Amino acid sequence: IVRHKSIRPGDILVVGDGRVVRGTHITIVERVEGSTVHTIEGNAHGLLPDGRVGEGVVRRTRMIGKASRRARCEVSGLGMAERALHAYRPLPEDYEAA
């Protein structure tokens, strides 16, 4: 598990609204700016590669720490009630053949 202040590109980020301890969605970190994490997500609503907002592989932003139902994703404008809960960093041995 990666501490919130150590999240970096390539980390796996689990997001949720805090009611489900293990989270409700898995994302990949694209970049971090302060308390905002920019993610690439699949099977989600956000900014599509063609610039439209829709469902598919999208870009989103997530807050580290408390999120608000009034907060909006910086890239899609969608509500941002879900926040970063946990982050994991794959290790080289995770990719070794069994």
Side-chain angles (χ1 to χ4, degrees):
I1 294 181
V2 177
R3 294 180 182 267
H4 281 163
K5 65 182 179 179
S6 299
I7 294 172
R8 67 181 190 205
D11 287 347
I12 298 166
L13 186 68
V14 179
V15 300
D17 61 11
R19 291 181 282 181
V20 179
V21 175
R22 294 185 181 173
T24 57
H25 191 61
I26 297 173
T27 73
I28 299 293
V29 176
E30 182 177 28
R31 71 182 189 279
V32 180
E33 294 177 344
S35 63
T36 301
V37 180
H38 294 258
T39 61
I40 297 175
E41 311 179 16
N43 194 29
H45 288 87
L47 189 65
L48 294 164
D50 66 5
R52 292 179 302 125
V53 173
E55 183 176 6
V57 175
V58 299
R59 285 191 157 90
R60 291 279 313 249
T61 55
R62 305 288 184 169
M63 299 300 296
I64 296 173
K66 192 170 184 174
S68 163
R69 292 213 179 271
R70 289 177 277 188
R72 295 279 172 214
C73 170
E74 294 175 15
V75 295
S76 70
L78 296 171
M80 196 167 49
E82 292 185 330
R83 62 185 170 90
L85 295 177
H86 313 288
Y88 301 91
R89 183 163 302 137
L91 302 171
E93 57 265 26
D94 294 332
Y95 298 101
E96 294 176 4

